[in-house]
């Protein structure tokens, strides 16, 4: 799932990454860029560890028990086993696991 190119260049998204995310998520190009901006604000090194992933996920699903679920999801999307996920892996995980109208929830995310 991870993209080696994105792990090397953490500050910006390549055109191919944007196209891949548009084609594989429910997000528009503009939404992807907004998510990326928030991700980089909260994770300036371009990497997100499991603890932070759980914190972000709980913003969207405060009523759920996110810890176990997120730990499992995180392991699935941490394709290189580094203990961190990049933006592309993060957005794919959010898109795949989202239930309900994620667009209404994105304003609370980052």
């Amino acid at each position: 799932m991870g993209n080696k190119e994105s792990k090397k260049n953490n500050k910006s998204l390549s055109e191919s990454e944007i196209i891949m995310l548009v084609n594989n998520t429910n997000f528009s190009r503009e939404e992807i860029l907004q998510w990326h901006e928030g991700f980089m604000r909260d994770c300036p090194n371009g990497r997100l560890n499991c603890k932070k992933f759980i914190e972000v996920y709980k913003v969207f699903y405060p009523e759920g028990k996110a810890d176990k679920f997120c730990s499992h999801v995180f392991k699935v999307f941490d394709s290189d086993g580094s203990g961190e996920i990049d933006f592309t892996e993060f957005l794919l995980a959010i898109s795949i696991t989202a239930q309900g109208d994620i667009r209404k929830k994105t304003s609370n995310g980052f």
Side-chain angles (χ1 to χ4, degrees), residues 2 6 12 27 30 32 45 53 56-57 68 84 86 97 110:
S6 68
S12 62
F27 300 112
E30 179 154 320
I32 291 166
N45 69 349
F53 179 73
V56 171
Y57 204 86
K68 272 190 174 180
E84 297 178 316
D86 63 18
T97 61
F110 282 103

Side-chain angles (χ1 to χ4, degrees), residues 25-101:
T25 69
N26 294 319
F27 300 112
S28 69
R29 178 185 189 86
E30 179 154 320
E31 290 169 322
I32 291 166
L33 294 173
Q34 289 172 351
W35 271 99
H36 186 258
E37 183 179 324
F39 183 90
M40 293 308 298
R41 185 175 47 248
D42 286 356
C43 306
N45 69 349
R47 311 290 296 176
L48 180 70
N49 64 28
C50 189
K51 181 180 177 183
K52 184 70 174 176
F53 179 73
I54 292 169
E55 289 173 17
V56 171
Y57 204 86
K58 283 181 177 179
V59 170
F60 295 105
Y61 304 101
E63 69 284 348
K65 296 182 179 178
D67 293 11
K68 272 190 174 180
F69 176 73
C70 286
S71 293
H72 176 70
V73 169
F74 188 88
K75 287 177 188 173
V76 169
F77 285 91
D78 179 18
S79 59
D80 64 358
S82 68
E84 297 178 316
I85 57 176
D86 63 18
F87 174 74
T88 301
E89 293 166 325
F90 166 76
L91 201 59
L92 286 169
I94 291 295
S95 178
I96 289 169
T97 61
Q99 297 176 7
D101 187 359

Side-chain angles (χ1 to χ4, degrees), residues 9-23:
N9 181 6
N10 296 322
K11 299 298 180 191
S12 62
L13 288 174
S14 70
E15 186 62 25
S16 63
E17 288 172 313
I18 294 169
I19 292 168
M20 186 277 298
L21 288 169
V22 167
N23 291 333

